[in-house]
Amino acid sequence: MSFPCYSAYKDSGVEWLGEVPQGWDLKPIKTISTINDEVLPESTAGDFELNYVDIGSVSLDAGIEKTEAFCFKDAPSRARRLVKHGDIVVSTVRTYLKAIAAIKNPIENMIVSTGFAVIRPKPDVYISHFAKYSLQSLNFVDEVISRSTGISYPAINATDLIRIRIPVPSIAEQTTIAAFLDCETAKIDNLINKQKKLIELLKEKRQAVISTAVTKGLNPHAPMKESGVEWLGKVPEHWEVKPLKTVILKIIDNRGRTPPFGDEGIAMLEVKQITEGVKYPSDSFEKFVPESILKNFEREKVKENDILITTVGATSGKCVLVNKNPNYFIAQNVVGIRVISTVESTYLWYMMSSDFFYHSLIRINKSNTIDNLKVSIFINNLCTTPSLEEQTTIVAFLDQETAKIDNLIQQAQKATTLLQERRTALISAAVTGKIDVRNKSLPASL
């Protein structure tokens, strides 16, 4: 869909805006809204129950994604800013996260971090409906980031934030633009949600293909036997089901040692470089062990075809296969295993990546999660071991099938990204007057 431009423009006098429609005003945020109007006093009763929103719980695309319930006495010291319907919260710390969200029908006692500036539009000049798009436009977000100071923790002072000048059309035009964006972004969001649902379905299919192959094999007519494990059921008659430790030749573990780091040397592989469903670890290394101390850390160095598994955090139990010619050590909370010659490492990686293996880890850990996975528990988990020849056949099959699914996932992810970019561009163009949407027809309900 293409949109016309306004008939006449003027120089805004603001570099990041360029020209704006003739008749639009340029005003500092502080003249069209108030900021941080209400705070929770220190005299608040300790048992007062609040729902807290921190910086990490807000994103530009999804808005407020979660809240945490606290009693005031137990709440973080930053839990102080009161919000109400129609406010817009703009993060003034870690501005690169783009944590900006409109407050719409908030749950009772919602309190946001003092890391947010709470913008409350003055309805006679700047309506909330338009403001939520205006303050989430790419132009404004980029300007906030560019004015932030600090490298590791960039921030902008709230007084500097509200000095930023933004385009302000008439109230009638703000209403029209906001209604148009409601309609168009809803269409785009619907398409995005469909792509995300497709991605989840493809991931489920990927897991189902892997789990079936490593627990039932590829021959649907093969004679089966009871595995002796209730939740595993039957396995091919000629397969073995035994503890993982019986196929491990060596465990690679730094046993909690943390070496000094330098700007160069051998890379250190950390938990964050191990991603669920990805065969090899990321090579975006951030820490390095100087060559002068390498001899003291040889036991943490991995070899091609070793398998690495994470032992802490949300990704605990996720694993990757060490790729060709590795040149890194493993950090804390990552354990490597080297398998015996009668086991194909890639087969074992697929088996350890399966839902069967992951959920069995949860069972033997006697918990609903495995946020802290002990090596002693991990190596006692059961694994399926067909013959080496059959393992190789299963690997070839799974390499082919997962590649097809991964390609479809990548296509859906690309489509999602393009739609999100389209959404962002449309909002920015409309609220800065680069396109004229006043004559676009809208559903009667709007």
Side-chain angles (χ1 to χ4, degrees), residues 175-412:
T175 302
T176 299
I177 292 171
F180 165 81
L181 288 174
D182 281 348
C183 179
E184 294 302 314
T185 57
K187 294 177 185 176
I188 297 172
D189 289 343
N190 182 49
L191 294 173
I192 289 173
N193 288 334
K194 286 182 178 179
Q195 291 297 322
K196 288 182 176 179
K197 184 177 181 180
L198 174 60
I199 290 169
E200 290 307 309
L201 290 173
L202 287 168
K203 287 181 177 179
E204 289 175 9
K205 181 179 179 180
R206 188 183 194 278
Q207 269 298 330
V209 169
I210 292 172
S211 291
T212 299
V214 300
T215 59
K216 308 300 178 187
L218 303 181
N219 181 5
H221 305 295
M224 306 292 281
K225 67 178 180 182
E226 291 293 340
S227 65
V229 182
E230 181 181 355
W231 43 267
L232 178 56
K234 293 182 178 181
V235 297
E237 195 172 64
H238 56 289
W239 285 24
E240 290 186 271
V241 179
K242 52 189 178 182
L244 183 64
K245 64 184 178 183
T246 62
V247 302
I248 294 176
L249 180 66
K250 180 181 180 181
I251 295 176
I252 306 100
D253 185 357
N254 73 9
R255 301 178 189 175
R257 299 198 307 165
T258 302
F261 300 120
D263 295 328
E264 55 185 26
I266 302 297
M268 181 67 74
L269 184 137
E270 302 175 272
V271 169
K272 59 186 175 182
Q273 290 159 291
I274 297 177
T275 305
E276 181 179 10
V278 178
K279 194 171 191 177
Y280 300 113
S282 164
D283 60 0
S284 56
F285 301 110
E286 298 177 359
K287 297 178 180 178
F288 299 86
V289 179
E291 292 188 11
S292 59
I293 62 168
L294 292 184
K295 290 183 179 180
N296 297 327
F297 289 87
E298 280 297 322
R299 73 182 183 197
E300 288 88 7
K301 196 168 184 181
V302 296
K303 294 182 179 180
E304 181 180 356
N305 291 326
D306 286 348
I307 300 170
L308 307 180
I309 187 166
T310 59
T311 58
V312 296
T315 62
S316 187
K318 304 301 182 282
C319 58
V320 291
L321 192 66
V322 175
N323 44 355
K324 190 175 182 180
N325 300 323
N327 193 29
Y328 51 81
F329 291 91
I330 57 173
Q332 291 185 46
N333 307 321
V334 178
V335 172
I337 62 171
R338 193 165 298 156
V339 299
I340 59 178
S341 59
T342 56
V343 173
E344 164 64 61
S345 293
T346 307
Y347 169 81
L348 195 63
W349 171 74
Y350 274 122
M351 198 278 304
M352 291 170 59
S353 300
S354 68
D355 282 342
F356 143 68
F357 189 80
Y358 183 76
H359 290 301
S360 63
L361 277 179
I362 291 178
R363 289 172 183 268
I364 63 174
N365 203 41
K366 297 180 180 178
S367 171
N368 292 326
T369 64
I370 49 173
D371 289 347
N372 291 287
L373 179 62
K374 295 180 179 179
V375 175
S376 58
I377 291 178
F378 157 62
I379 63 174
N380 278 297
N381 199 23
L382 296 175
C383 66
T384 54
T385 52
S387 67
L388 184 57
E389 181 181 2
E390 191 170 356
Q391 291 175 40
T392 303
T393 302
I394 291 173
V395 166
F397 168 79
L398 288 177
D399 281 349
Q400 182 178 16
E401 294 303 307
T402 58
K404 294 176 185 177
I405 298 172
D406 289 343
N407 182 54
L408 294 174
I409 290 174
Q410 289 170 6
Q411 290 180 33

Side-chain angles (χ1 to χ4, degrees), residues 14 16 27-30 32 139-140 143-145 147 156 159-166:
V14 178
W16 58 274
K27 295 182 178 181
I29 294 173
K30 65 181 179 181
I32 55 175
N139 312 70
F140 176 76
E143 181 65 9
V144 171
I145 294 173
R147 293 191 183 206
I156 184 172
T159 56
D160 292 329
L161 172 70
I162 60 176
R163 290 193 185 105
I164 296 176
R165 297 170 65 204
I166 59 174

Side-chain angles (χ1 to χ4, degrees), residues 32-247:
I32 55 175
S33 64
T34 58
I35 183 171
N36 299 336
D37 290 357
E38 301 175 77
V39 297
L40 204 58
E42 295 300 325
S43 58
T44 300
D47 60 355
F48 174 78
E49 295 180 356
L50 58 91
N51 292 289
Y52 176 56
V53 179
D54 65 9
I55 304 297
S57 301
V58 174
S59 69
L60 194 61
D61 293 329
I64 296 174
E65 298 179 289
K66 66 176 182 178
T67 62
E68 292 181 89
F70 289 101
C71 286
F72 179 77
K73 61 183 176 59
D74 301 319
S77 60
R78 281 182 168 271
R80 294 294 183 271
R81 298 215 191 284
L82 288 159
V83 293
K84 69 178 186 179
H85 177 76
D87 291 346
I88 296 93
V89 294
V90 180
S91 173
T92 57
V93 297
R94 289 188 291 165
T95 50
Y96 58 85
L97 293 177
K98 303 179 182 180
I100 301 175
I103 304 298
K104 184 177 181 180
N105 300 319
I107 60 177
E108 187 176 7
N109 298 333
M110 181 181 282
I111 306 294
V112 303
S113 167
T114 53
F116 289 107
V118 180
I119 308 296
R120 186 164 294 170
K122 297 177 180 178
D124 57 332
V125 289
Y126 191 44
I127 61 171
S128 293
H129 201 177
F130 177 80
K132 76 172 184 178
Y133 289 116
S134 176
L135 299 181
Q136 289 183 313
S137 70
L138 185 62
N139 312 70
F140 176 76
V141 173
D142 287 345
E143 181 65 9
V144 171
I145 294 173
S146 70
R147 293 191 183 206
S148 301
T149 58
I151 297 175
S152 60
Y153 200 77
I156 184 172
N157 190 289
T159 56
D160 292 329
L161 172 70
I162 60 176
R163 290 193 185 105
I164 296 176
R165 297 170 65 204
I166 59 174
V168 184
S170 68
I171 292 293
E173 199 163 349
Q174 288 180 44
T175 302
T176 299
I177 292 171
F180 165 81
L181 288 174
D182 281 348
C183 179
E184 294 302 314
T185 57
K187 294 177 185 176
I188 297 172
D189 289 343
N190 182 49
L191 294 173
I192 289 173
N193 288 334
K194 286 182 178 179
Q195 291 297 322
K196 288 182 176 179
K197 184 177 181 180
L198 174 60
I199 290 169
E200 290 307 309
L201 290 173
L202 287 168
K203 287 181 177 179
E204 289 175 9
K205 181 179 179 180
R206 188 183 194 278
Q207 269 298 330
V209 169
I210 292 172
S211 291
T212 299
V214 300
T215 59
K216 308 300 178 187
L218 303 181
N219 181 5
H221 305 295
M224 306 292 281
K225 67 178 180 182
E226 291 293 340
S227 65
V229 182
E230 181 181 355
W231 43 267
L232 178 56
K234 293 182 178 181
V235 297
E237 195 172 64
H238 56 289
W239 285 24
E240 290 186 271
V241 179
K242 52 189 178 182
L244 183 64
K245 64 184 178 183
T246 62
V247 302

